[in-house]
Amino acid sequence: MENGIEMKNRIKVYRAMHDLTQEGLANELGVTRQTILAIEKGKYDPSLDLAFKIARFFGVAIEEIFLYGDTAERK
Amino acid sequence: MKRNTFYLLAGIVALAEVGIFWLSVELERPILIQVAFVLGVLLIYLARRRVEERIEDERTAMITQKAALRTLEVFWVVFFGVSLGSAVVAFSRPLGLRPPHPGPPNMAPVDVLELPFVGGFALFQMALLCLMIFLYVGFRMYYARKYGEWDRDEEQD
């Protein structure tokens, strides 16, 4: 949340749907487990590259996983 | 290589560097520690690349970048301030930029850079570098905490 607008995400939900641990997802994406945890907790906003990787891994559009600002409130 | 093996190796290299520094002082050979230090850093860099577990990604790279930038921002002010003081001391002595103060008629010219002065300056530089390391570690801890480095969740509990 660098610019004050909160970005929410549903990685935890998708992880549960795919029965994946943070470690498992991290290994699949080539990042550390702490990075997955930080993204889930909203402490770190991933790069566009990593965001697309996450969306493609779960086979959904990026907007399904990452909800930006007011979009997050409407959903 | 496991991550713990890497940390162990880094510790051994650090101890070896301390030993070589002592040896270098005993033998009065500065080149010994200078070469050993560069080799030690190279060894640690090479070993780090062989660590199997992933310890770096875009988040850790960002933490490193932010900490380094903040360190530089603070450090250059301190370093420049200290250097200004040193410049005043240097320009107060005869450096060839202005005529020396007239001394007694048969007095020999004073050496501008005497060896103890150089040694003292080296120690002072090292103290400043230590300050830089402390600053970096402090900023790194701050950003690591900010970006969830030590957060825990139900998977770890």
Side-chain angles (χ1 to χ4, degrees):
Chain A
M1 198 176 56
E2 287 287 298
N3 52 6
I5 300 172
E6 196 174 351
M7 186 159 76
K8 291 184 177 173
N9 67 76
R10 299 164 68 197
I11 295 176
K12 202 168 183 173
V13 176
Y14 276 89
R15 253 193 330 107
M17 283 161 62
H18 288 77
D19 198 22
L20 260 175
T21 59
Q22 288 168 346
E23 188 80 52
L25 180 61
N27 288 339
E28 292 290 341
L29 298 170
V31 295
T32 60
R33 195 194 65 78
Q34 283 304 117
T35 295
I36 299 296
L37 175 59
I39 297 171
E40 282 184 3
K41 286 196 163 186
K43 286 200 164 182
Y44 171 66
D45 294 336
S47 66
L48 206 51
D49 181 57
L50 181 56
F52 270 108
K53 272 186 188 169
I54 294 169
R56 284 196 180 163
F57 179 77
F58 289 124
V60 292
I62 199 165
E63 298 92 338
E64 287 295 316
I65 295 185
F66 294 98
L67 314 165
Y68 185 70
D70 55 339
T71 325
E73 285 156 23
R74 269 188 266 135
K75 286 226 175 181
Chain B
M1 182 189 289
K2 297 275 180 202
R3 200 191 309 193
N4 284 344
T5 315
F6 167 71
Y7 290 138
L8 190 68
L9 179 74
I12 291 170
V13 169
L15 279 177
E17 293 291 343
V18 173
I20 294 169
F21 178 77
W22 175 80
L23 191 69
S24 196
V25 173
E26 284 290 309
L27 299 175
E28 293 182 25
R29 286 278 175 95
I31 191 77
L32 252 177
I33 184 62
Q34 287 167 333
V35 171
F37 182 75
V38 174
L39 287 179
V41 171
L42 274 177
L43 182 68
I44 286 174
Y45 272 125
L46 287 175
R48 206 170 87 161
R49 290 173 67 174
R50 288 176 174 270
V51 176
E52 289 152 7
E53 297 163 73
R54 181 171 280 277
I55 51 175
E56 272 191 354
D57 61 11
E58 60 172 49
R59 186 184 54 89
T60 55
M62 189 193 66
I63 291 170
T64 305
Q65 281 170 13
K66 282 189 179 253
L69 183 67
R70 292 286 172 268
T71 304
L72 196 64
E73 279 176 350
V74 175
F75 186 73
W76 89 262
V77 176
V78 175
F79 193 74
F80 196 80
V82 169
S83 300
L84 277 177
S86 306
V88 169
V89 173
F91 282 118
S92 313
R93 289 163 177 235
L95 273 177
L97 295 172
R98 69 174 197 196
H101 295 293
N106 295 325
M107 190 183 145
V110 183
D111 284 337
V112 175
L113 286 177
E114 292 150 4
L115 269 179
F117 176 75
V118 173
F121 186 70
L123 282 176
F124 189 61
Q125 261 189 326
M126 281 187 78
L128 278 177
L129 282 173
C130 285
L131 168 77
M132 192 182 190
I133 291 167
F134 278 117
L135 272 174
Y136 178 73
V137 170
F139 279 124
R140 207 188 150 90
M141 283 171 76
Y142 169 76
Y143 284 111
R145 194 177 131 87
K146 186 177 176 184
Y147 293 108
E149 187 66 35
W150 298 298
D151 280 3
R152 297 177 67 84
D153 70 349
E154 70 274 10
E155 278 189 20
Q156 290 165 291
D157 297 330

